[in-house]
Amino acid sequence: SSMLKSIRQAIPSYLAWLVPNFVVGKSLTSIRVKYRALAAEAIGVEDSELDNADAMKKILVDELVFFQSLLTGDHEQQKYLIPGTNQPTAADFSVYAQMERLVGEGTASDVVVFPAIQWFKEEAKKD
């Protein structure tokens, strides 16, 4: 996990072998539980639903459809999520980053970041 990697990098390499991964993992349990609860609250689901891939996919697709609905379809009239703006806002950058990470081609920056959910990208192309 990225939390484990962060902790490993914080420990001097000559000491890292003294602390097994399971010890570090066990110490992170309360943090994982906390952020799982925060995620469930943020998206308005019960904890048990977080493990339901179909339910999570529906929430994700509904959110993407919502963002799409904010655009009028007329690129010249409304280029950005917030109507009347003539420059991108934080909302545009946030949604763009999410979309690039989900289904992008990995060309958004100087570092190639491939889609996190390859199956989602494949299904999006079908629809």
Side-chain angles (χ1 to χ4, degrees), residues 1-11 19-38:
S1 82
S2 61
M3 291 192 315
L4 177 61
K5 183 178 178 182
S6 297
I7 289 174
R8 282 281 177 220
Q9 290 174 343
I11 298 172
V19 183
N21 285 347
F22 77 87
V23 172
V24 176
K26 185 72 172 161
S27 69
L28 296 174
T29 300
S30 64
I31 295 169
R32 286 190 188 106
V33 168
K34 173 186 171 185
Y35 281 98
R36 182 179 172 98
L38 289 171

Side-chain angles (χ1 to χ4, degrees), residues 67 70-71 78-83 85-99:
F67 286 127
L70 296 176
L71 300 171
Q78 185 180 346
K79 295 180 182 180
Y80 306 108
L81 290 174
I82 299 176
T85 57
N86 57 6
Q87 294 182 354
T89 64
D92 296 287
F93 288 112
S94 176
V95 172
Y96 178 80
Q98 291 175 49
M99 293 301 299

